[in-house]
Amino acid sequence: MKIVVCVKPIQNPEIPAAQFRIDEEAKVLIPVSGLSPVLSPFDEQAVEAALRIRDRAGEGSEVEITIVTIASKGARAAIKAALALGADNAVLLSEPTFDGSGGYVTARNLAKTIRTIGQVDLILTGRQAADWDAGVVGLGLAEILDIPAITFARDVQIADGVVTVQRVLQDGIETVEADLPALVTISNELGKVRHASMRETMRAAKKPVKEWIPEDIGLDEAQVGSSAIRYELERLYIPVNDIECEFISGDSPSEIAATLAQHMREANLI
Amino acid sequence: MTDNNNGVLVVVEMEGNQPIDLGLEMLALARRLTDSVGGPVTAVAFGDGLETAGEVLISYGADQVLINDNNAFSNFHAEAWLPDLSKIIVEVAPAIVLVGHSDAGTDLAPRLAFRLDVDVATGCEAVDVINGRPHMTRGCFGGLAREVVTFARSPAIATIRSKSQEALTPIIERSGEVKHVTSILDVNSIRTRVVKREREKAVGGVKMESAKVVIGGGLGLGGPEGFKTLNEIAELVDGAVGASRAACDLDWCPRSYQIGLSGRTVAPELYLAVGISGASHHMAGCGNSKTIVSINSDPKAEIFKSSRFGIVGNSQEIMPALAEEIRKLKA
Ligand SMILES: Cc1cc2nc3c(=O)[nH]c(=O)nc-3n(C[C@H](O)[C@H](O)[C@H](O)COP(=O)(O)OP(=O)(O)OC[C@H]3O[C@@H](n4cnc5c(N)ncnc54)[C@H](O)[C@@H]3O)c2cc1C
Ligand SMILES: Nc1ncnc2c1ncn2[C@@H]1O[C@H](COP(=O)(O)O)[C@@H](O)[C@H]1O
């Protein structure tokens, strides 16, 4: 069985707000210097989901996990990280003008990449990439490949050519299944990701990584990167927060609490 | 599809025979948008037993309501909705399609966009028409930034965040047209099977999205016991309790409590943030609250930057005291 996990390398999404900067003129992120890209967290969990499937299948099972990434640069470290977690091999579609914010172009080119890889049983993606927070590429990919898609998984199991997914809803859980091939998007409820073991980290250096350029898979210039994008980024900015915080103080917790309760009463909330 | 201009189409999710609040909020946005793009506001409702839905949606701003009443639609199922919805959109040819940024909408809208070969902006806080073109404003980078995008094709599809818009006051006398859709759904085309649905019940009976007071708990509560006090206070003020993802991850509270980018969106009169650091991912789900009051032991906590009132202190001391003071006021 072949599993493809689509991962996107991004700037660490958990840096302190004060470090986050944008060039409003050029409408681009100003990367924090000295910070190397990481796997988008939901994508890292998608890798974990694939590894759990392989673990459950047991020793000697034929589950092959391939990492697929489209990136302009800095993807190597992220691919290494995914391989060190235990994936078997990787394909990098290297695209110098890749801008990463166009779900339409990314989904189309991922579809083309995956078709070139050949027969794939299960495709896993993150629920959304933690840079643009779109949540479009996974479903788009499934539409293009014309396979069923199940979103927001916290658990993914495979048996007899059927994928069974526990889907997280705001007020509950839904169990959904589909015949393979299928696509599943992974949510944070999947839980903790394993640490890369020493053994896998050392093996990762020797795992095969194919690096393709768009022409290698029959994509021409008009189909890739910025030239293919159908949307326009009119503005990118950091919203200003002009709230002045008034601190409530007092000599004891009950005095402070009494002041707060009084405010609430005045606002008709009690 | 490039020159659609027949108004704005809103996909309104129904709960039983009632529209969800987000659907009504989007109708208000659609009304405002048709002032610029012209054409009608078309509401589309899928569900089972929707006899009265038409009138309700018209009173909240729809000119035309298309009802797809079929027991196949009693629960949301993207693959079941797509054939009819795509067909409706092609026929109506709106300039803009609004879908709720809900569990259902986030699952539906991207598929719809790819099927119609148009583009989608997810999690929008605003849609404005400038020089005749819809401009979608959405949060990105975990809520730290906003982007404004326009699309080359139409309709522009946008999923709208809950509480980013305000519903209109319903006018019973408003007139409009209600039509029933004939479904073209071929059930054999559905490839995903829902085998089980388990719903958690709302604690205390007050829904987070409609509560006037929401109390959010984070790691600063120190453990699951902290949520007991929050629940107690919520009950006293008819409020609801939510949480940071970190608290949910540790199982200090039910999953469904999670507020934020990958959780629920609330905008109450008062959001009381207790022991929450104020990560942008969390604020993405509560930043629209009228007033934020936060309690945190760290005077430099990020959360104070978005708070109207702040209390520097230990939540384990302040919260029981607050419960006590509220009880006194209510006595
Ligand atoms: C892609 C992505 C999506 C995410 N989505 C969400 C989301 O939807 N919702 C969400 O909430 N998070 C989300 N997160 C996580 C988010 O970035 C933060 O990690 C999380 O919100 C932190 O939770 P917290 O504030 O409870 O914990 P912490 O950040 O650990 O903060 C605890 C706070 O409690 C204070 N404190 C400690 N002791 C006390 C005490 N005794 N009394 C009072 N205060 C005390 C501390 O000073 C601190 O400020 C997401 C992250 C990523 C990367
Ligand atoms: N450049 C990319 N390379 C590989 N996978 C991607 C890329 N962009 C997005 N994805 C996948 O699609 C998911 C959703 O992305 P998005 O629609 O951009 O939020 C991500 O979590 C990834 O799994």
Side-chain angles (χ1 to χ4, degrees):
Chain A
M1 189 174 83
K2 187 150 173 112
I3 304 177
V4 158
V5 187
C6 301
V7 304
K8 185 178 189 186
I10 62 165
Q11 169 166 297
N12 187 336
E14 286 177 295
I15 55 162
Q19 281 185 31
F20 179 81
R21 289 180 60 222
I22 268 174
D23 179 342
E24 291 197 17
E25 201 61 42
K27 295 179 277 196
V28 291
L29 172 78
I30 303 174
V32 177
S33 65
L35 205 62
S36 58
V38 298
L39 290 174
S40 181
F42 304 116
D43 301 359
E44 191 177 20
Q45 287 174 301
V47 176
E48 173 65 28
L51 294 169
R52 289 184 195 171
I53 291 170
R54 197 179 60 190
D55 291 348
R56 263 187 234 114
E59 207 57 45
S61 64
E62 281 171 32
V63 177
E64 180 191 350
I65 302 171
T66 300
I67 301 298
V68 172
T69 298
I70 306 180
S72 54
K73 55 177 187 299
R76 284 272 164 182
I79 288 176
K80 261 293 171 44
L83 293 175
L85 288 172
D88 298 298
N89 50 54
V91 173
L92 165 65
L93 181 66
S94 146
E95 213 286 273
T97 68
F98 182 74
D99 150 299
S101 58
Y104 161 73
V105 182
T106 309
R108 264 202 341 177
N109 294 344
L110 276 175
K112 186 80 185 176
T113 309
I114 291 170
R115 279 191 176 127
T116 310
I117 291 172
Q119 172 62 36
V120 170
D121 301 290
L122 179 68
I123 301 172
L124 300 177
T125 73
R127 60 176 286 164
Q128 66 199 53
D131 50 0
W132 294 95
D133 294 322
V136 168
V137 168
L139 287 169
L141 187 53
E143 283 290 318
I144 297 168
L145 295 174
D146 197 17
I147 57 174
I150 305 173
T151 50
F152 311 140
R154 71 162 194 191
D155 183 68
V156 187
Q157 312 244 4
I158 303 280
D160 306 323
V162 173
V163 59
T164 304
V165 172
Q166 283 186 23
R167 259 191 102 218
V168 179
L169 301 175
Q170 277 178 4
D171 60 349
I173 298 289
E174 209 172 65
T175 308
V176 184
E177 56 177 43
D179 296 342
L180 298 177
L183 182 140
V184 178
T185 82
I186 305 297
S187 192
N188 55 281
E189 287 82 0
L190 187 102
K192 276 216 168 52
V193 171
R194 70 196 60 193
H195 288 294
S197 68
M198 179 76 98
R199 175 168 164 266
E200 286 294 335
T201 307
M202 282 165 60
R203 286 180 60 198
K206 293 194 215 87
K207 289 179 180 174
V209 179
K210 280 194 191 124
E211 188 165 337
W212 290 339
I213 56 168
E215 293 87 272
D216 292 339
I217 59 170
L219 287 167
D220 62 42
E221 232 168 89
Q223 290 172 297
V224 299
S226 41
S227 48
I229 283 175
R230 301 194 299 202
Y231 77 95
E232 188 137 5
L233 182 56
E234 306 282 347
R235 229 186 124 195
L236 180 66
Y237 63 99
I238 297 178
V240 285
N241 203 344
D242 50 11
I243 296 178
E244 187 76 48
C245 184
E246 202 176 303
F247 284 93
I248 301 175
S249 51
D251 290 333
S252 66
S254 23
E255 196 182 316
I256 295 170
T259 312
L260 175 55
Q262 204 53 50
H263 278 303
M264 288 170 72
R265 147 129 314 158
E266 279 156 24
N268 261 331
L269 297 171
I270 296 178
Chain B
M1 292 196 135
T2 45
D3 293 313
N4 292 352
N5 58 8
N6 190 28
V8 179
L9 183 142
V10 184
V11 179
V12 179
E13 257 174 82
M14 306 295 290
E15 228 166 51
N17 62 1
Q18 286 302 314
I20 64 166
D21 288 351
L22 177 52
L24 304 179
E25 291 157 20
M26 291 192 293
L27 284 177
L29 172 60
R31 259 306 12 121
R32 191 165 56 71
L33 290 170
T34 51
D35 290 346
S36 313
V37 297
V41 170
T42 305
V44 178
F46 281 46
D48 188 16
L50 301 184
E51 294 79 14
T52 54
E55 291 154 43
V56 177
L57 297 175
I58 289 168
S59 73
Y60 277 96
D63 298 309
Q64 177 182 207
V65 181
L66 303 180
I67 291 187
N68 201 354
D69 201 336
N70 186 319
N71 59 17
F73 304 133
S74 52
N75 283 301
F76 171 74
H77 192 165
E79 285 196 297
W81 287 37
L82 279 166
D84 287 337
L85 194 54
S86 314
K87 179 163 175 276
I88 289 169
I89 293 171
V90 170
E91 283 170 4
V92 174
I96 303 170
V97 174
L98 305 178
V99 181
H101 194 70
S102 60
D103 287 335
T106 47
D107 190 58
L108 179 71
R111 305 180 197 245
L112 197 56
F114 277 82
R115 264 193 208 189
L116 298 172
D117 201 11
V118 298
D119 299 276
V120 58
T122 54
C124 297
E125 302 178 338
V127 181
D128 299 284
V129 175
I130 301 170
N131 297 329
R133 306 186 64 202
H135 285 55
M136 276 68 67
T137 303
R138 59 183 300 278
C140 50
F141 295 97
L144 287 173
R146 300 288 180 278
E147 64 169 338
V148 181
V149 296
T150 55
F151 295 147
R153 297 176 169 226
S154 81
I157 302 183
T159 69
I160 305 298
R161 286 198 80 103
S162 166
K163 303 298 166 195
S164 60
Q165 319 291 319
E166 218 166 299
L168 300 171
T169 312
I171 301 171
I172 313 291
E173 302 78 33
R174 262 192 109 250
S175 59
E177 197 184 350
V178 181
K179 285 189 207 152
H180 285 263
V181 174
T182 314
S183 177
I184 56 160
L185 174 64
D186 166 12
V187 288
N188 296 317
S189 72
I190 301 177
R191 299 163 297 184
T192 49
R193 305 175 285 274
V194 179
V195 285
K196 198 155 91 188
R197 283 199 171 89
E198 297 157 81
R199 293 287 154 99
E200 287 170 7
K201 2 187 251 297
V203 181
V206 185
K207 226 178 145 190
M208 219 190 276
E209 283 77 5
S210 44
K212 278 192 170 172
V213 179
V214 176
I215 312 177
L219 291 193
L221 283 180
E225 315 75 44
F227 277 94
K228 284 207 192 104
T229 321
L230 300 197
N231 279 321
E232 223 174 282
I233 298 175
E235 209 160 301
L236 287 169
V237 299
D238 276 336
V241 177
S244 72
R245 186 173 103 184
C248 296
D249 283 345
L250 290 174
D251 281 331
W252 290 2
C253 60
R255 273 267 147 240
S256 56
Y257 277 30
Q258 185 180 322
I259 290 173
L261 185 69
S262 40
R264 300 163 79 147
T265 306
V266 297
E269 300 280 320
L270 170 67
Y271 183 66
L272 196 56
V274 190
I276 291 179
S277 59
S280 64
H281 305 105
H282 182 77
M283 301 318 289
C286 60
N288 269 337
S289 306
K290 298 263 166 8
T291 305
I292 298 178
V293 177
S294 44
I295 299 167
N296 198 299
S297 54
D298 174 7
K300 291 203 197 68
E302 193 70 24
I303 188 96
F304 289 129
K305 293 192 184 143
S306 1
S307 305
R308 176 69 187 81
F309 294 103
I311 293 171
V312 178
N314 182 348
S315 67
Q316 273 129 305
E317 292 169 12
I318 310 257
M319 296 320 281
L322 182 62
E324 195 48 46
E325 294 301 326
I326 294 175
R327 260 190 225 104
K328 273 194 221 160
L329 283 182
K330 286 188 68 158

